[in-house]
Amino acid sequence: MKPSEGLVKAAMRFEGFRPLAYWDANGKVWTIGFGETLGVKQGDTTTIPAAVKRLNTRLQYFCTAACGMAGVPLTQGQADAITDFAYNAGLGNLQKSTLLKDLKALDYNDAATEFGKWNKAGGKVLVDLTTRREAEREWFEGVKIAA
């Protein structure tokens, strides 16, 4: 499976574009472009075309990994939802989540409710994360991704 074009556009919107490397909201990692952290260091710069290309590559990586972890049949919306979650929260968090446990058990309703529990950074509820998790839940439940 591959990330939909809607997911790519939504990830761009949620992440926002930053051409200069910045310290993330948790103060743990350098980030650039549309939320990219892999290999980013202080002083790095990027362009929108380069960041879009990198985002597409990374979303494909996260899609393959997240769908593989699930190990169950997924709709495009479900794949997009767990891909976005993994891209934003990390594969390690997906792996240890009740969301994944419920998904593997084919308990799609309970899995959908788990997205909303991941709306904190640094122990604080963030409005942007709450909005993003709600969108992921909607995609997971079959609501079309807004372009």
Side-chain angles (χ1 to χ4, degrees):
M1 190 159 276
K2 65 185 258 181
S4 71
E5 186 61 31
L7 172 58
V8 174
K9 289 178 181 177
M12 290 169 65
R13 191 172 57 251
F14 281 126
E15 293 290 342
F17 175 72
R18 303 271 296 266
L20 305 172
Y22 63 96
W23 206 231
D24 82 329
N26 287 326
K28 294 183 179 179
V29 65
W30 287 101
T31 309
I32 198 166
F34 295 106
E36 180 57 60
T37 59
L38 183 65
V40 179
K41 60 189 181 310
Q42 185 176 12
D44 284 354
T45 62
T46 192
T47 63
I48 290 176
V52 169
K53 183 177 179 181
R54 194 167 182 183
L55 177 64
N56 276 289
T57 299
R58 295 292 284 155
L59 285 176
Q60 182 59 62
Y61 168 81
F62 278 91
C63 185
T64 300
C67 293
M69 279 184 198
V72 297
L74 299 170
T75 65
Q76 182 67 55
Q78 290 166 336
D80 283 344
I82 65 170
T83 298
D84 190 66
F85 177 88
Y87 182 71
N88 181 248
L91 287 168
N93 282 326
L94 175 63
Q95 188 170 33
K96 68 182 181 185
S97 71
T98 303
L99 188 165
L100 185 64
K101 178 183 168 196
D102 290 342
L103 187 53
K104 286 181 170 209
L106 302 176
D107 189 344
Y108 296 104
N109 289 331
D110 282 354
T113 66
E114 290 296 313
F115 286 99
K117 296 178 181 177
W118 291 84
N119 65 345
K120 297 174 188 76
K124 298 177 183 177
V125 173
L126 299 181
V127 173
D128 290 346
L129 283 181
T130 300
T131 301
R132 190 171 191 163
R133 297 290 102 88
E134 177 65 20
E136 291 164 350
R137 183 193 61 76
E138 289 177 355
W139 304 336
F140 189 86
E141 291 177 332
V143 177
K144 186 176 180 193
I145 297 174

